[in-house]
Amino acid sequence: MKRKFKILAIVLILLFLAFAVFSFFYVRIQLFLPLSKDPSEKVFEIKEGQGVVEIVDSLSKEGFVGNKWVILGYLKFKGLGKNLKAGVYLLRKGQRPVDILEEIISGKIALKKVTIVEGWNNKEII
């Protein structure tokens, strides 16, 4: 009886360790590897008042991040959920999800280049 208990305990410990190792690498892949090698930029907008779950869900649907639950867990673990800033961002699917989150947290919004023709007045510019 004791022998069976020891074997069962060892098997359970090995299963737990295997699960822990698998989970560790899965989370690292979801956070630190880009989903694609697509270098093209795409506009992504976060509206004022959107919640963390809604933002991450949109990022997932647009293909910028993989498993939204891993991203939500990462934001919760780091305490960054409240730091996501509204704005229009130029993101690439070839970026690492953690870099995309860093851009949104820093508020590095997309800037538009405007050229004003020499000689135009205020009415002509608008």
Side-chain angles (χ1 to χ4, degrees):
M1 186 73 172
K2 286 185 178 182
R3 181 173 167 85
K4 286 183 182 180
F5 181 73
K6 284 182 182 179
I7 291 173
L8 180 62
I10 290 172
V11 168
L12 288 176
I13 290 171
L14 289 175
L15 284 173
F16 176 76
L17 288 174
F19 177 75
V21 169
F22 170 79
S23 298
F24 173 78
F25 284 109
Y26 180 76
V27 168
R28 290 200 44 91
I29 287 169
Q30 291 296 312
L31 290 174
F32 297 104
L33 289 180
L35 292 182
S36 73
K37 295 183 183 199
D38 184 9
S40 62
E41 292 180 327
K42 187 173 181 184
V43 175
F44 182 77
E45 182 177 3
I46 298 174
K47 295 182 173 121
E48 193 73 37
Q50 272 188 306
V52 178
V53 175
E54 193 177 355
I55 294 168
V56 174
D57 192 43
S58 296
L59 284 169
S60 180
K61 286 179 182 173
E62 295 285 333
F64 293 111
V65 298
N67 188 325
K68 69 179 182 179
W69 299 109
V70 171
I71 302 300
L72 286 169
Y74 173 78
L75 290 170
K76 180 78 171 170
F77 179 73
K78 291 282 196 171
L80 300 172
K82 305 246 186 236
N83 297 349
L84 301 177
K85 296 180 175 64
V88 178
Y89 298 90
L90 275 178
L91 303 176
R92 289 177 287 119
K93 292 183 181 178
Q95 282 179 283
R96 300 180 320 158
V98 75
D99 293 335
I100 289 172
L101 293 173
E102 190 176 299
E103 273 190 45
I104 295 172
I105 289 167
S106 70
K108 187 179 169 189
I109 59 172
L111 301 176
K112 296 180 181 176
K113 185 177 179 180
V114 177
T115 304
I116 300 174
V117 178
E118 187 177 343
W120 279 14
N121 60 29
N122 289 343
K123 291 179 183 176
E124 292 173 319
I125 293 172
I126 297 173

